[in-house]
């Protein structure tokens, strides 16, 4: 009867080892599942285009539009800042897509981008060599 004691003692030992193994594999599985989804920094490194994010602003300075090719959303409100002393306009060259009218030097105005995507050339009606293209998309 004496050799039965060590055998009985071995059963809980083996059970404990089996449970420990099960727990270890269960923990490993639990760690594997959320791993592929959590480390995905997709949104943070995508903000190097200043015209596409935030409020759209066109600056007139030195008889130039800056940026000359602003990219905006359909129907977006665009602020126009005139830093020159002369009056300027932002006027679509084809049709009447948009027109700020005269913006005096040192003043600012606004206009609304067309609701249809496309490229709209614009000009200052006072200074036709001031040109730009509004990119709506
Ligand atoms: Cu002008």
């Amino acid at each position: 009867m004496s050799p039965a004691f060590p055998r009985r003692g071995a059963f809980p030992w083996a059970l404990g080892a089996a449970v420990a193994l099960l727990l270890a594999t269960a923990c490993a599985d639990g760690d594997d599942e959320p791993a592929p989804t959590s480390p995905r920094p997709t949104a943070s490194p995508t903000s190097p285009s200043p015209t596409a994010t935030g409020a759209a602003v066109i600056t007139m300075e030195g008889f130039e539009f800056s940026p000359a090719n602003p990219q905006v959303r359909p129907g977006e409100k665009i602020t126009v800042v005139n830093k020159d002393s002369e009056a300027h306009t932002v006027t679509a060259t084809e049709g009447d897509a948009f027109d700020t009218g005269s913006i005096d030097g040192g003043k600012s105005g606004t206009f609304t981008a067309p609701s249809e995507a496309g490229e709209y050339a614009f000009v200052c009606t006072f200074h036709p060599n001031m040109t730009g293209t509004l990119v709506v998309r």
Side-chain angles (χ1 to χ4, degrees), residues 5-100:
F5 281 110
R7 262 190 226 155
R8 266 191 198 165
F11 279 119
W13 232 94
L15 262 175
V19 168
L21 266 172
L22 275 172
L23 283 174
T25 50
C27 281
D29 283 348
D31 282 349
D32 279 348
E33 277 174 40
T37 49
S38 50
R40 262 192 204 169
T42 47
S44 45
T46 54
S47 54
S49 51
T51 50
T53 57
V57 177
I58 299 173
T59 302
M60 301 131 140
E61 190 168 21
F63 293 82
E64 285 181 356
F65 295 113
S66 177
N69 302 294
Q71 294 179 19
V72 299
R73 299 281 175 206
E76 186 172 348
K77 194 175 182 182
I78 298 145
T79 301
V80 183
V81 180
N82 184 357
K83 292 188 174 178
D84 283 337
S85 53
E86 296 257 353
H88 295 305
T89 76
V90 175
T91 307
T93 54
E94 286 182 35
D96 53 358
F98 50 87
D99 183 8
T100 62

